[in-house]
Coordinates of all heavy atoms in Angstrom, one line a residue:
M216 N 31.2 -44.5 40.7 CA 31.7 -45.8 41.0 C 31.3 -46.8 39.9 O 30.1 -46.9 39.6 CB 31.1 -46.3 42.3 CG 31.6 -47.7 42.7 SD 30.8 -48.0 44.4 CE 30.4 -49.7 44.2
A217 N 32.3 -47.3 39.2 CA 32.1 -48.3 38.2 C 31.4 -49.6 38.6 O 31.5 -49.8 39.7 CB 33.4 -48.5 37.4
A218 N 31.0 -50.3 37.6 CA 30.4 -51.5 38.0 C 31.4 -52.5 38.6 O 32.5 -52.5 38.2 CB 29.9 -52.2 36.7
E219 N 30.9 -53.2 39.5 CA 31.7 -54.2 40.2 C 31.6 -55.6 39.7 O 30.5 -55.9 39.1 CB 31.6 -54.3 41.7 CG 30.6 -55.4 42.2 CD 30.3 -55.4 43.7 OE1 29.4 -54.7 44.1 OE2 31.0 -56.2 44.4
Q220 N 32.7 -56.3 39.5 CA 32.7 -57.6 39.0 C 32.2 -58.6 40.1 O 32.7 -58.6 41.2 CB 34.1 -58.1 38.4 CG 34.6 -57.3 37.3 CD 33.8 -57.2 36.0 OE1 33.3 -58.4 35.7 NE2 33.7 -56.1 35.3
I221 N 31.2 -59.4 39.8 CA 30.7 -60.5 40.9 C 30.9 -61.8 40.2 O 31.1 -62.0 39.0 CB 29.4 -60.1 41.3 CG1 28.4 -60.2 40.1 CG2 29.3 -58.8 42.0 CD1 26.9 -60.2 40.6
T222 N 30.9 -62.9 41.1 CA 30.9 -64.3 40.7 C 29.7 -65.0 41.3 O 28.9 -64.5 42.1 CB 32.1 -64.9 41.3 OG1 32.1 -64.8 42.7 CG2 33.5 -64.0 40.9
D223 N 29.6 -66.2 40.9 CA 28.6 -67.2 41.5 C 28.8 -67.2 43.1 O 27.8 -67.3 43.7 CB 28.7 -68.6 40.9 CG 28.1 -68.7 39.5 OD1 27.3 -67.9 39.2 OD2 28.6 -69.7 38.8
D224 N 30.1 -67.2 43.4 CA 30.3 -67.3 44.9 C 29.8 -66.1 45.8 O 29.3 -66.4 46.8 CB 31.8 -67.5 45.1 CG 32.4 -68.8 44.6 OD1 31.5 -69.7 44.5 OD2 33.5 -68.9 44.4
N225 N 29.8 -65.0 45.2 CA 29.4 -63.7 46.0 C 28.2 -63.1 45.5 O 27.8 -62.0 45.8 CB 30.5 -62.7 46.1 CG 30.9 -62.0 44.8 OD1 30.3 -62.4 43.8 ND2 31.8 -61.1 44.8
F226 N 27.4 -63.8 44.5 CA 26.2 -63.3 43.9 C 25.1 -62.9 44.9 O 24.6 -61.7 44.9 CB 25.6 -64.3 42.9 CG 24.5 -63.7 42.0 CD1 24.9 -63.1 40.8 CD2 23.3 -63.8 42.5 CE1 23.9 -62.4 40.2 CE2 22.2 -63.2 41.6 CZ 22.5 -62.5 40.5
D227 N 24.7 -63.9 45.9 CA 23.7 -63.6 46.8 C 24.0 -62.4 47.7 O 23.2 -61.5 48.0 CB 23.4 -64.8 47.6 CG 22.7 -65.9 46.7 OD1 22.1 -65.6 45.7 OD2 22.8 -67.0 47.1
E228 N 25.2 -62.4 48.0 CA 25.8 -61.2 48.9 C 25.6 -59.9 48.2 O 25.3 -58.8 48.7 CB 27.2 -61.4 49.3 CG 27.8 -60.5 50.2 CD 29.3 -60.9 50.5 OE1 29.6 -62.0 50.9 OE2 30.1 -59.9 50.3
A229 N 26.0 -59.9 46.8 CA 26.0 -58.8 46.0 C 24.6 -58.2 45.8 O 24.5 -56.9 45.7 CB 26.8 -59.0 44.7
I230 N 23.6 -58.9 45.7 CA 22.3 -58.5 45.4 C 21.4 -58.1 46.7 O 20.4 -57.6 46.6 CB 21.5 -59.3 44.5 CG1 21.2 -60.8 45.2 CG2 22.2 -59.5 43.1 CD1 20.2 -61.6 44.4
A231 N 22.1 -58.5 47.9 CA 21.4 -58.2 49.1 C 21.5 -56.7 49.5 O 22.4 -55.9 49.1 CB 21.9 -59.1 50.2
G232 N 20.7 -56.3 50.4 CA 20.7 -55.0 50.9 C 19.6 -54.0 50.5 O 18.7 -54.4 49.7
D233 N 19.6 -52.8 50.9 CA 18.6 -51.9 50.6 C 18.7 -51.2 49.3 O 17.7 -50.6 48.8 CB 18.5 -50.8 51.8 CG 18.2 -51.3 53.2 OD1 17.6 -52.5 53.2 OD2 18.6 -50.8 54.1
T234 N 19.9 -51.2 48.8 CA 20.2 -50.4 47.5 C 19.8 -51.4 46.4 O 20.2 -52.6 46.3 CB 21.6 -50.1 47.4 OG1 22.0 -49.3 48.5 CG2 21.9 -49.2 46.2
P235 N 19.0 -50.8 45.4 CA 18.8 -51.7 44.3 C 20.0 -52.0 43.5 O 20.9 -51.2 43.4 CB 17.9 -50.7 43.4 CG 17.2 -49.8 44.3 CD 18.3 -49.6 45.4
V236 N 20.1 -53.2 43.0 CA 21.3 -53.8 42.3 C 21.0 -54.1 40.8 O 20.0 -54.9 40.7 CB 22.0 -54.9 43.0 CG1 23.2 -55.3 42.2 CG2 22.2 -54.5 44.4
V237 N 21.6 -53.5 39.9 CA 21.5 -53.9 38.5 C 22.6 -54.9 38.1 O 23.8 -54.7 38.4 CB 21.6 -52.7 37.5 CG1 21.6 -53.2 36.1 CG2 20.5 -51.7 37.7
V238 N 22.3 -56.1 37.7 CA 23.3 -57.1 37.4 C 23.2 -57.3 35.8 O 22.2 -57.5 35.2 CB 23.0 -58.5 38.1 CG1 24.0 -59.5 37.4 CG2 23.0 -58.3 39.6
D239 N 24.5 -57.1 35.3 CA 24.7 -57.1 33.8 C 25.3 -58.6 33.6 O 26.3 -58.9 34.0 CB 25.7 -56.2 33.4 CG 26.0 -56.4 31.9 OD1 25.2 -56.9 31.1 OD2 27.1 -55.7 31.5
F240 N 24.4 -59.5 33.1 CA 24.9 -60.8 32.7 C 25.6 -60.7 31.3 O 24.8 -60.3 30.3 CB 23.7 -61.8 32.6 CG 23.2 -62.0 33.9 CD1 22.1 -61.2 34.5 CD2 23.6 -63.2 34.7 CE1 21.5 -61.5 35.7 CE2 22.9 -63.5 36.0 CZ 22.0 -62.7 36.5
W241 N 26.9 -61.0 31.1 CA 27.5 -60.7 29.9 C 28.4 -61.8 29.6 O 28.7 -62.8 30.4 CB 28.2 -59.4 30.0 CG 29.4 -59.4 30.9 CD1 29.4 -59.3 32.3 CD2 30.8 -59.5 30.6 NE1 30.6 -59.4 32.8 CE2 31.5 -59.5 31.8 CE3 31.5 -59.6 29.4 CZ2 32.8 -59.6 31.8 CZ3 32.9 -59.7 29.4 CH2 33.6 -59.6 30.6
A242 N 29.2 -61.8 28.5 CA 30.2 -62.7 28.1 C 31.2 -62.1 27.2 O 30.9 -61.1 26.5 CB 29.6 -64.0 27.4
E243 N 32.5 -62.4 27.2 CA 33.6 -61.8 26.6 C 33.3 -61.8 25.0 O 33.6 -60.9 24.3 CB 34.9 -62.6 26.9 CG 36.1 -61.9 26.5 CD 36.4 -60.6 27.2 OE1 36.2 -60.6 28.4 OE2 36.7 -59.6 26.6
W244 N 32.6 -62.9 24.6 CA 32.4 -62.9 23.0 C 31.2 -62.1 22.6 O 31.0 -62.1 21.4 CB 32.3 -64.5 22.7 CG 31.3 -65.2 23.6 CD1 31.6 -66.0 24.8 CD2 29.8 -65.2 23.5 NE1 30.4 -66.4 25.3 CE2 29.3 -65.9 24.5 CE3 29.0 -64.5 22.6 CZ2 28.0 -66.1 24.6 CZ3 27.6 -64.8 22.8 CH2 27.1 -65.6 23.8
C245 N 30.5 -61.6 23.5 CA 29.3 -60.9 23.1 C 29.6 -59.4 22.7 O 29.8 -58.6 23.5 CB 28.3 -61.0 24.3 SG 26.9 -60.0 24.2
G246 N 29.4 -59.3 21.4 CA 29.6 -57.8 20.9 C 28.7 -56.8 21.4 O 29.2 -55.7 21.9
P247 N 27.3 -57.0 21.5 CA 26.5 -56.0 22.2 C 26.8 -55.8 23.6 O 26.6 -54.7 24.1 CB 25.0 -56.6 22.0 CG 25.1 -57.5 20.8 CD 26.7 -58.0 21.0
C248 N 27.3 -56.8 24.4 CA 27.7 -56.7 25.8 C 28.9 -55.6 25.9 O 28.9 -54.8 26.8 CB 28.2 -58.0 26.4 SG 26.8 -59.3 26.3
K249 N 29.8 -55.9 25.0 CA 31.0 -54.9 25.0 C 30.5 -53.4 24.7 O 31.1 -52.5 25.1 CB 32.0 -55.5 24.1 CG 32.8 -56.6 24.5 CD 33.9 -57.1 23.6 CE 34.6 -58.3 24.2 NZ 35.7 -58.6 23.2
Q250 N 29.7 -53.4 23.7 CA 29.2 -52.1 23.2 C 28.4 -51.4 24.3 O 28.5 -50.2 24.5 CB 28.2 -52.4 22.1 CG 27.6 -51.1 21.5 CD 26.6 -51.4 20.5 OE1 26.3 -52.6 20.2 NE2 26.0 -50.3 19.8
M251 N 27.7 -52.0 25.2 CA 27.0 -51.5 26.2 C 27.7 -51.1 27.5 O 27.3 -50.4 28.3 CB 25.7 -52.4 26.6 CG 24.7 -51.7 27.3 SD 23.2 -52.8 27.5 CE 23.8 -54.1 28.6
A252 N 28.9 -51.9 27.7 CA 29.6 -51.8 28.9 C 29.9 -50.3 29.3 O 29.8 -50.0 30.6 CB 30.9 -52.5 28.8
P253 N 30.4 -49.5 28.4 CA 30.8 -48.1 28.9 C 29.5 -47.3 29.3 O 29.6 -46.4 30.1 CB 31.4 -47.4 27.6 CG 31.6 -48.5 26.6 CD 30.8 -49.7 27.0
H254 N 28.4 -47.7 28.6 CA 27.1 -46.9 29.1 C 26.8 -47.3 30.5 O 26.3 -46.4 31.2 CB 26.0 -47.2 28.1 CG 26.2 -46.9 26.7 ND1 26.7 -45.7 26.2 CD2 26.1 -47.6 25.5 CE1 26.9 -45.6 25.0 NE2 26.6 -46.9 24.5
L255 N 26.9 -48.6 30.8 CA 26.5 -49.1 32.0 C 27.4 -48.5 33.2 O 26.9 -48.1 34.1 CB 26.6 -50.6 32.0 CG 25.8 -51.4 33.0 CD1 24.3 -51.0 33.0 CD2 25.9 -52.9 32.8
D256 N 28.7 -48.4 32.8 CA 29.6 -47.7 33.8 C 29.3 -46.3 34.1 O 29.4 -45.8 35.1 CB 31.1 -47.8 33.3 CG 31.7 -49.3 33.4 OD1 31.1 -50.1 34.3 OD2 32.6 -49.6 32.8
A257 N 28.9 -45.5 32.9 CA 28.5 -44.1 33.1 C 27.3 -44.0 33.9 O 27.2 -43.1 34.8 CB 28.3 -43.5 31.6
V258 N 26.3 -44.9 33.6 CA 25.1 -44.8 34.5 C 25.5 -45.1 36.0 O 24.9 -44.6 36.9 CB 24.0 -45.8 33.9 CG1 22.8 -45.9 34.9 CG2 23.5 -45.3 32.6
A259 N 26.3 -46.0 36.2 CA 26.7 -46.5 37.6 C 27.3 -45.2 38.3 O 27.0 -45.0 39.4 CB 27.7 -47.6 37.6
D260 N 28.1 -44.4 37.5 CA 28.7 -43.2 38.0 C 27.6 -42.1 38.4 O 27.6 -41.6 39.5 CB 29.7 -42.6 37.2 CG 30.9 -43.5 37.1 OD1 31.2 -44.2 38.1 OD2 31.8 -43.3 36.1
E261 N 26.7 -42.0 37.3 CA 25.6 -41.0 37.6 C 24.7 -41.4 38.7 O 24.2 -40.4 39.4 CB 24.9 -40.9 36.2 CG 25.5 -40.1 35.2 CD 24.7 -40.2 33.9 OE1 23.5 -40.4 34.0 OE2 25.3 -39.9 32.8
L262 N 24.4 -42.5 38.9 CA 23.3 -42.9 39.9 C 24.0 -43.6 41.1 O 23.4 -44.2 41.9 CB 22.5 -43.9 39.3 CG 21.6 -43.4 38.1 CD1 20.7 -44.5 37.6 CD2 20.7 -42.2 38.6
S263 N 25.3 -43.3 41.4 CA 26.1 -43.8 42.5 C 25.3 -43.3 43.8 O 24.9 -42.2 43.9 CB 27.5 -43.1 42.4 OG 28.2 -43.6 43.5
G264 N 25.2 -44.2 44.7 CA 24.5 -44.0 45.9 C 23.0 -44.3 45.8 O 22.4 -44.6 46.9
Q265 N 22.5 -44.3 44.6 CA 21.0 -44.7 44.5 C 21.0 -46.2 44.0 O 20.0 -46.8 44.4 CB 20.5 -43.8 43.4 CG 20.4 -42.2 43.7 CD 20.0 -41.4 42.6 OE1 18.9 -41.7 42.0 NE2 20.8 -40.6 42.1
I266 N 21.9 -46.5 43.3 CA 21.9 -47.9 42.8 C 23.3 -48.5 42.9 O 24.3 -47.8 42.8 CB 21.4 -48.2 41.3 CG1 22.2 -47.3 40.4 CG2 20.0 -47.8 41.2 CD1 22.4 -48.0 39.1
K267 N 23.4 -49.9 42.8 CA 24.7 -50.5 42.6 C 24.7 -51.3 41.2 O 23.6 -51.7 40.9 CB 24.9 -51.6 43.6 CG 25.3 -51.0 45.0 CD 25.8 -52.0 46.0 CE 25.7 -53.5 45.6 NZ 26.0 -54.4 46.8
V268 N 25.7 -51.3 40.6 CA 25.8 -51.9 39.2 C 26.8 -53.0 39.4 O 28.0 -52.9 39.7 CB 26.1 -51.1 38.1 CG1 26.3 -51.9 36.7 CG2 25.0 -49.9 38.0
A269 N 26.5 -54.3 39.0 CA 27.4 -55.5 39.1 C 27.4 -56.2 37.7 O 26.4 -56.1 37.0 CB 27.0 -56.4 40.2
K270 N 28.6 -56.7 37.5 CA 28.7 -57.5 36.1 C 29.1 -58.9 36.4 O 29.8 -59.2 37.2 CB 29.8 -56.9 35.3 CG 29.5 -55.4 34.7 CD 30.6 -54.8 34.1 CE 30.8 -55.3 32.8 NZ 29.7 -55.0 31.7
L271 N 28.4 -59.9 35.8 CA 28.7 -61.2 36.0 C 29.0 -61.9 34.5 O 28.0 -61.9 33.8 CB 27.4 -62.0 36.6 CG 27.6 -63.4 36.8 CD1 28.2 -63.7 38.2 CD2 26.3 -64.3 36.7
N272 N 30.1 -62.5 34.4 CA 30.5 -63.2 33.2 C 29.9 -64.6 33.3 O 30.2 -65.3 34.0 CB 32.1 -63.1 33.2 CG 32.6 -63.9 31.9 OD1 32.0 -64.8 31.4 ND2 33.7 -63.2 31.3
V273 N 29.0 -64.7 32.4 CA 28.2 -66.0 32.5 C 29.0 -67.3 32.0 O 28.7 -68.4 32.5 CB 26.9 -66.0 31.5 CG1 25.9 -64.8 32.1 CG2 27.2 -65.8 30.1
D274 N 30.1 -67.0 31.3 CA 31.0 -68.2 30.9 C 31.7 -68.6 32.1 O 32.0 -69.9 32.3 CB 31.9 -67.9 29.8 CG 31.3 -67.6 28.5 OD1 30.2 -68.2 28.2 OD2 31.8 -67.0 27.5
D275 N 32.2 -67.7 33.0 CA 32.9 -68.0 34.2 C 32.1 -68.4 35.3 O 32.5 -69.2 36.3 CB 33.9 -66.9 34.5 CG 34.9 -66.6 33.4 OD1 35.3 -67.5 32.6 OD2 35.5 -65.4 33.5
N276 N 30.9 -67.9 35.3 CA 29.9 -68.1 36.4 C 28.6 -68.5 35.9 O 27.6 -67.7 35.9 CB 29.7 -66.8 37.2 CG 31.1 -66.3 37.7 OD1 31.7 -66.7 38.7 ND2 31.8 -65.3 37.0
P277 N 28.4 -69.7 35.5 CA 27.1 -70.2 34.8 C 26.0 -70.4 35.9 O 24.8 -70.4 35.4 CB 27.6 -71.5 34.2 CG 28.7 -72.0 35.0 CD 29.4 -70.9 35.4
M278 N 26.2 -70.6 37.1 CA 25.2 -71.0 38.1 C 24.2 -69.9 38.3 O 23.0 -70.1 38.2 CB 25.7 -71.4 39.4 CG 26.6 -72.8 39.4 SD 27.4 -73.2 40.7 CE 26.2 -73.1 41.9
A279 N 24.6 -68.6 38.4 CA 23.6 -67.6 38.7 C 22.7 -67.4 37.4 O 21.5 -67.2 37.5 CB 24.4 -66.2 39.0
A280 N 23.5 -67.4 36.3 CA 22.7 -67.2 35.0 C 21.7 -68.3 34.8 O 20.5 -68.0 34.4 CB 23.7 -67.2 33.8
S281 N 22.0 -69.4 35.2 CA 21.0 -70.7 35.1 C 19.9 -70.4 36.1 O 18.8 -70.6 35.7 CB 21.9 -71.9 35.3 OG 21.0 -73.1 35.2
K282 N 20.3 -70.0 37.3 CA 19.3 -70.0 38.4 C 18.1 -68.9 38.1 O 17.1 -69.1 38.2 CB 19.9 -69.5 39.7 CG 19.0 -69.2 40.8 CD 19.8 -68.7 42.1 CE 18.9 -68.4 43.2 NZ 19.7 -67.9 44.4
F283 N 18.7 -67.9 37.3 CA 17.7 -66.8 37.0 C 17.1 -66.8 35.4 O 16.5 -65.9 35.0 CB 18.2 -65.4 37.3 CG 18.5 -65.1 38.7 CD1 19.6 -65.3 39.3 CD2 17.3 -64.7 39.4 CE1 19.7 -65.1 40.7 CE2 17.4 -64.5 40.9 CZ 18.7 -64.7 41.5
G284 N 17.4 -68.1 34.8 CA 16.9 -68.3 33.4 C 17.4 -67.3 32.4 O 16.7 -67.1 31.4
V285 N 18.7 -67.0 32.4 CA 19.2 -66.0 31.4 C 19.4 -66.9 30.2 O 20.1 -67.9 30.1 CB 20.5 -65.5 31.8 CG1 21.2 -64.7 30.8 CG2 20.3 -64.6 33.1
R286 N 18.8 -66.4 29.1 CA 18.9 -67.2 27.8 C 19.6 -66.5 26.7 O 19.8 -67.0 25.7 CB 17.4 -67.5 27.4 CG 16.6 -68.4 28.3 CD 16.9 -69.9 28.1 NE 16.0 -70.7 28.9 CZ 16.5 -71.3 30.0 NH1 17.8 -71.2 30.3 NH2 15.8 -72.1 30.7
G287 N 19.7 -65.1 26.8 CA 20.4 -64.3 25.8 C 21.2 -63.3 26.5 O 21.0 -62.9 27.7
L288 N 22.1 -62.7 25.7 CA 23.0 -61.7 26.3 C 23.0 -60.5 25.4 O 22.7 -60.6 24.2 CB 24.3 -62.2 26.3 CG 24.6 -63.4 27.2 CD1 26.1 -63.8 27.1 CD2 24.2 -63.1 28.7
P289 N 23.3 -59.2 25.9 CA 23.2 -59.1 27.4 C 21.9 -59.1 28.0 O 20.9 -58.8 27.4 CB 23.9 -57.7 27.5 CG 23.4 -57.0 26.2 CD 23.3 -58.1 25.1
T290 N 21.9 -59.5 29.2 CA 20.7 -59.5 30.0 C 21.0 -58.6 31.2 O 21.9 -58.8 31.9 CB 20.1 -60.8 30.5 OG1 19.7 -61.6 29.4 CG2 19.0 -60.9 31.4
L291 N 20.1 -57.7 31.5 CA 20.2 -56.8 32.8 C 19.0 -57.2 33.7 O 17.9 -57.4 33.1 CB 20.0 -55.3 32.5 CG 21.1 -54.7 31.6 CD1 20.9 -53.2 31.4 CD2 22.4 -54.9 32.2
M292 N 19.3 -57.4 34.9 CA 18.3 -57.6 35.9 C 18.4 -56.6 37.1 O 19.5 -56.4 37.5 CB 18.3 -59.0 36.5 CG 17.9 -60.1 35.5 SD 17.9 -61.7 36.3 CE 17.4 -62.7 34.8
L293 N 17.3 -56.1 37.4 CA 17.3 -55.2 38.5 C 16.8 -55.9 39.8 O 15.6 -56.5 39.8 CB 16.4 -53.9 38.2 CG 16.3 -52.9 39.5 CD1 17.6 -52.2 39.6 CD2 15.1 -51.9 39.0
F294 N 17.6 -55.9 40.9 CA 17.1 -56.7 42.1 C 16.8 -55.7 43.1 O 17.6 -54.6 43.3 CB 18.4 -57.5 42.5 CG 18.6 -58.7 41.7 CD1 19.4 -58.7 40.6 CD2 18.0 -60.0 42.0 CE1 19.6 -59.8 39.8 CE2 18.2 -61.0 41.2 CZ 19.1 -60.9 40.1
K295 N 15.6 -55.8 43.9 CA 15.3 -55.0 45.1 C 15.0 -56.0 46.1 O 14.4 -56.9 46.0 CB 14.1 -54.2 44.7 CG 14.4 -53.1 43.8 CD 13.3 -52.2 43.2 CE 12.0 -52.1 43.9 NZ 11.0 -51.2 43.2
D296 N 15.8 -55.8 47.3 CA 15.6 -56.5 48.4 C 16.0 -58.0 48.1 O 15.3 -59.0 48.5 CB 14.2 -56.5 49.0 CG 13.9 -55.2 49.5 OD1 14.8 -54.5 50.1 OD2 12.8 -54.7 49.2
G297 N 17.0 -58.2 47.2 CA 17.4 -59.6 46.8 C 16.5 -60.3 45.8 O 16.8 -61.4 45.4
K298 N 15.5 -59.6 45.3 CA 14.5 -60.3 44.4 C 14.5 -59.6 43.0 O 14.7 -58.3 43.1 CB 13.1 -60.3 44.9 CG 13.0 -61.2 46.2 CD 11.6 -61.2 46.8 CE 11.4 -62.0 48.0 NZ 12.2 -61.9 49.1
V299 N 14.2 -60.2 42.0 CA 14.2 -59.6 40.6 C 13.0 -58.7 40.6 O 11.9 -59.2 40.8 CB 14.1 -60.7 39.5 CG1 14.0 -60.1 38.2 CG2 15.3 -61.7 39.6
A300 N 13.2 -57.5 40.3 CA 12.2 -56.5 40.0 C 11.8 -56.2 38.6 O 10.8 -55.8 38.3 CB 12.5 -55.1 40.7
S301 N 12.8 -56.4 37.8 CA 12.8 -56.1 36.3 C 13.9 -56.7 35.6 O 14.9 -56.9 36.1 CB 12.7 -54.6 36.0 OG 12.5 -54.4 34.7
T302 N 13.6 -57.3 34.3 CA 14.6 -57.8 33.5 C 14.5 -57.2 32.1 O 13.4 -56.9 31.6 CB 14.3 -59.4 33.3 OG1 14.4 -60.0 34.6 CG2 15.3 -60.0 32.4
H303 N 15.7 -57.0 31.5 CA 15.7 -56.5 30.2 C 16.7 -57.2 29.3 O 17.9 -57.4 29.7 CB 16.2 -55.0 30.1 CG 16.1 -54.4 28.7 ND1 17.0 -54.6 27.8 CD2 15.1 -53.7 28.1 CE1 16.7 -53.9 26.6 NE2 15.4 -53.5 26.8
L304 N 16.3 -57.7 28.2 CA 17.1 -58.5 27.3 C 17.6 -57.7 26.1 O 16.7 -57.1 25.5 CB 16.5 -59.8 26.9 CG 17.3 -60.6 25.8 CD1 18.5 -61.1 26.3 CD2 16.4 -61.8 25.3
G305 N 18.8 -57.6 25.9 CA 19.4 -56.9 24.7 C 20.1 -55.6 25.1 O 19.8 -55.0 26.2
A306 N 20.9 -55.1 24.1 CA 21.7 -53.9 24.4 C 20.7 -52.6 24.4 O 19.6 -52.7 23.8 CB 22.7 -53.6 23.3
M307 N 21.2 -51.7 25.2 CA 20.3 -50.4 25.4 C 21.4 -49.2 25.3 O 22.6 -49.4 25.6 CB 19.7 -50.4 26.7 CG 18.6 -51.3 26.9 SD 17.6 -50.9 28.4 CE 18.6 -51.8 29.6
S308 N 20.9 -48.1 24.9 CA 21.8 -46.8 25.0 C 21.9 -46.5 26.5 O 21.1 -46.9 27.2 CB 21.0 -45.7 24.2 OG 19.8 -45.3 24.8
K309 N 22.7 -45.4 26.7 CA 23.0 -45.0 28.0 C 21.7 -44.4 28.5 O 21.3 -44.6 29.7 CB 24.1 -44.0 28.0 CG 24.4 -43.3 29.4 CD 25.5 -42.2 29.3 CE 25.6 -41.5 30.4 NZ 24.7 -40.4 30.5
Q310 N 21.1 -43.6 27.7 CA 19.7 -42.9 28.2 C 18.7 -44.0 28.5 O 18.0 -43.8 29.5 CB 19.2 -42.0 27.2 CG 18.1 -41.2 27.6 CD 18.3 -40.3 28.8 OE1 19.3 -39.6 28.8 NE2 17.4 -40.5 29.8
R311 N 18.6 -45.0 27.7 CA 17.5 -46.0 27.9 C 17.9 -46.9 29.2 O 16.9 -47.2 29.9 CB 17.5 -47.0 26.6 CG 16.4 -48.0 26.7 CD 15.0 -47.4 26.8 NE 14.0 -48.5 27.2 CZ 13.3 -48.5 28.3 NH1 13.5 -47.4 29.2 NH2 12.6 -49.5 28.6
I312 N 19.2 -47.1 29.4 CA 19.5 -47.9 30.7 C 19.1 -47.0 31.9 O 18.4 -47.6 32.8 CB 21.0 -48.1 30.7 CG1 21.5 -49.1 29.6 CG2 21.4 -48.7 32.1 CD1 23.0 -49.2 29.4
S313 N 19.4 -45.7 31.8 CA 19.2 -44.8 32.9 C 17.6 -44.8 33.1 O 17.1 -44.8 34.2 CB 19.7 -43.4 32.6 OG 19.4 -42.6 33.7
D314 N 16.8 -44.7 32.0 CA 15.4 -44.5 32.1 C 14.8 -45.8 32.7 O 14.0 -45.8 33.6 CB 14.7 -44.3 30.7 CG 15.0 -42.9 30.2 OD1 15.5 -42.1 31.1 OD2 14.8 -42.6 29.1
W315 N 15.4 -47.1 32.1 CA 14.8 -48.4 32.6 C 15.1 -48.5 34.2 O 14.2 -48.9 34.9 CB 15.6 -49.4 31.9 CG 15.2 -50.9 32.5 CD1 14.1 -51.5 32.2 CD2 16.0 -51.7 33.1 NE1 14.2 -52.8 32.7 CE2 15.4 -52.9 33.3 CE3 17.4 -51.6 33.7 CZ2 16.0 -54.0 34.0 CZ3 17.9 -52.6 34.3 CH2 17.2 -53.8 34.5
I316 N 16.3 -48.0 34.6 CA 16.5 -48.1 36.1 C 15.6 -47.3 36.9 O 15.0 -47.7 37.9 CB 18.0 -47.8 36.3 CG1 18.9 -48.9 35.9 CG2 18.2 -47.6 37.9 CD1 20.4 -48.5 35.7
K317 N 15.4 -46.0 36.4 CA 14.5 -45.1 37.2 C 13.1 -45.5 37.1 O 12.4 -45.3 38.2 CB 14.7 -43.6 36.5 CG 16.0 -43.0 36.8 CD 16.2 -41.7 36.1 CE 17.6 -41.2 36.4 NZ 17.9 -40.0 35.5
E318 N 12.6 -46.3 36.0 CA 11.3 -46.6 36.0 C 11.1 -47.9 36.9 O 10.0 -48.0 37.5 CB 11.0 -47.2 34.6 CG 10.8 -46.1 33.6 CD 10.8 -46.5 32.1 OE1 10.9 -47.9 31.9 OE2 10.9 -45.8 31.2
N319 N 12.1 -48.6 37.3 CA 11.9 -49.8 38.0 C 12.5 -49.9 39.4 O 12.3 -50.8 40.2 CB 12.5 -51.0 37.1 CG 11.7 -51.2 35.9 OD1 10.5 -51.7 36.0 ND2 12.2 -50.9 34.9
A320 N 13.4 -48.9 39.8 CA 14.0 -49.0 41.0 C 13.4 -48.5 42.2 O 12.4 -48.0 42.2 CB 15.3 -48.2 40.9

């Protein structure tokens, strides 16, 4: 299951629940964000059922990014029980994304 697009309006609902959720804070103009997107989709497929992956465009949805103090892109946040469990700033390889999730989920 590929990453789902979320918005400020459904953010709280998207991170709620028993399944850990990785939120990718990204922007259309961000080169590293675009470079990392296929890796994130691949990890979402590999870990389907164990985690959810959601993408939030910060230009279209600035409130959630502001609420969680996102200062650079791409920023990945792992939410457990609706709370931030881990944050990573900057692009990562597919293997590193997978390792980061497994270390923190």
Side-chain angles (χ1 to χ4, degrees):
M216 182 174 140
E219 91 176 89
Q220 300 294 327
I221 61 172
T222 65
D223 281 339
D224 293 336
N225 69 356
F226 188 89
D227 290 338
E228 180 183 314
I230 63 168
D233 296 335
T234 305
V236 181
V237 175
V238 177
D239 176 20
F240 293 87
W241 70 284
E243 195 64 46
W244 49 263
C245 171
C248 299
K249 289 182 177 184
Q250 176 186 7
M251 195 171 69
H254 300 315
L255 207 50
D256 286 338
V258 170
D260 287 339
E261 284 178 14
L262 299 178
S263 179
Q265 299 172 52
I266 62 151
K267 285 184 358 185
V268 177
K270 297 175 69 68
L271 182 91
N272 183 320
V273 298
D274 288 337
D275 297 338
N276 302 281
M278 291 173 52
S281 176
K282 177 180 176 181
F283 290 99
V285 173
R286 299 272 183 256
L288 299 176
T290 293
L291 294 181
M292 288 189 183
L293 178 68
F294 290 86
K295 288 173 24 180
D296 301 318
K298 296 180 176 55
V299 178
S301 184
T302 301
H303 186 278
L304 174 61
M307 293 188 276
S308 68
K309 178 179 170 281
Q310 185 60 52
R311 183 65 193 113
I312 294 168
S313 183
D314 290 347
W315 174 75
I316 291 169
K317 289 174 184 171
E318 288 165 10
N319 294 288

